[in-house]
Amino acid sequence: MSFDATGFTALEITESEDRVVARMNRPEVLNAIDQTMVDEFHTLCGYLERTPKILIITGVEANEETGQRGIFASGADIAQLRERRREDALAGINSQIFSRIHRLPMPVIAAIDGFALGGGAELAYAADFRIATPKVKMGQPETNLGITAAAGALWRLKELVGEPTALELILAGRILNAEEALELKLVTELHEPSELMAGAHALADRIGKQDPLAVRISKRVFTMPRDAHPAVDELAQAILFESQAKFDRMQAFLDRKKKK
């Protein structure tokens, strides 16, 4: 089974055995996240919920020959956002898809170049891993537009970078550069633009070497509330202790140890 991206216009999809790359491709509007992109992400999530694979989300690649700069996502589409009203906000158009991406069974990697602002930054926060280029700019300009960062930043940022920095980003419009984002561990690796996707695939390769069921269960248990532990850990381990992969992988470890 493979993903059918026929009719997609906002996302370019590339699929292999253990991963899917979703490239946002609206360079004419700096990859602004519009309803079409949201709908396409929902369709992709439906597939990945049924067919768990690692997801790499990225944007437009830099191209020195054409002068195209790298762009992750500059935020929500302001032209559409300007027309949204109370019922649209209550529907959580962006927050719902970002939460769905975060809940995907297998890890999600955001490979970020250039602008990741507003909703674009909140999409990156929803990923499990964020790697970037030295040209990345991340922040939340929503209050300057008369709205709030309602698609995840108000709570995810505090968890990711701590309350003081989160407040400065949300209330004072601070924009982080690459070194600041790396120092705060908001991103964990920096790569030159030409090496960004190689870095993303190298991380996906490391994840792919692990037992997929163990990865899926570990991701799910990791996000559970504190009072669910340690009981949920024990239940998760009980499931994995009965898996054939556990026996095979441990036996392979013991066999390698004997040969040393």
Side-chain angles (χ1 to χ4, degrees):
M1 182 179 180
S2 60
F3 183 71
D4 183 5
T6 302
F8 273 29
T9 59
L11 298 179
E12 292 182 352
I13 305 298
T14 306
E15 183 177 10
S16 60
E17 183 177 355
D18 68 345
R19 71 197 64 169
V20 170
V21 176
R23 183 179 299 280
M24 297 176 284
N25 190 32
R26 301 185 72 221
E28 69 281 1
V29 289
L30 302 181
N31 271 358
I33 299 170
D34 68 347
Q35 187 63 57
T36 297
M37 188 181 291
V38 168
D39 292 342
E40 291 178 5
F41 267 126
H42 272 298
T43 301
L44 176 60
C45 284
Y47 172 72
L48 292 173
E49 288 159 356
R50 298 187 301 272
T51 312
K53 295 188 177 190
I54 300 164
L55 173 62
I56 300 172
I57 301 174
T58 193
V60 177
E61 286 187 296
N63 188 319
E64 292 183 2
E65 292 184 3
T66 64
Q68 173 65 59
R69 57 180 170 171
I71 308 161
F72 186 71
S74 60
D77 190 304
I78 301 299
Q80 291 187 4
L81 200 59
R82 167 65 180 79
E83 301 307 315
R84 289 180 183 171
R85 305 303 293 266
R86 177 178 57 203
E87 293 305 316
D88 297 306
L90 292 174
I93 294 171
N94 284 1
S95 64
Q96 293 300 314
I97 184 54
F98 297 166
S99 291
R100 190 175 184 184
I101 288 169
H102 184 71
R103 293 193 305 267
L104 285 172
M106 290 293 283
V108 179
I109 301 167
I112 312 163
D113 189 16
F115 293 129
L117 301 174
E122 290 174 304
L123 171 58
Y125 307 154
D128 300 294
F129 301 93
R130 285 162 296 281
I131 67 172
T133 76
K135 298 181 182 297
V136 72
K137 299 290 184 183
M138 299 184 73
Q140 303 301 144
E142 285 90 348
T143 53
N144 189 48
L145 296 171
I147 58 173
T148 192
L154 290 178
W155 55 279
R156 282 200 177 101
L157 256 183
K158 181 164 59 176
E159 297 174 352
L160 291 169
V161 300
E163 187 171 307
T165 301
L167 285 173
E168 191 175 2
L169 288 164
I170 293 165
L171 303 184
R174 178 182 174 187
I175 303 298
L176 299 174
N177 62 28
E179 291 300 327
E180 291 169 329
L182 183 65
E183 184 177 356
L184 290 164
K185 304 298 184 184
L186 190 56
V187 302
T188 54
E189 301 174 17
L190 292 180
H191 300 272
E192 289 301 319
S194 61
E195 299 297 322
L196 179 62
M197 289 308 296
H201 282 294
L203 176 54
D205 289 342
R206 297 197 297 273
I207 297 168
K209 290 179 181 178
Q210 314 307 310
D211 173 48
L213 181 60
V215 170
R216 289 178 61 184
I217 288 179
S218 296
K219 176 177 175 176
R220 178 170 291 191
V221 171
F222 185 84
T223 59
M224 289 186 177
R226 174 64 182 84
D227 59 5
H229 304 276
V232 69
D233 307 56
E234 294 161 0
L235 291 170
Q237 195 74 297
I239 293 170
L240 291 169
F241 271 11
E242 298 298 324
S243 73
Q244 188 60 46
K246 173 247 188 178
F247 293 103
D248 293 343
R249 284 172 174 262
M250 288 191 176
Q251 187 60 53
F253 174 84
L254 293 172
D255 292 344
R256 288 193 302 271
K257 192 174 180 180
K258 286 179 182 179
K259 293 178 181 179
K260 291 183 179 180

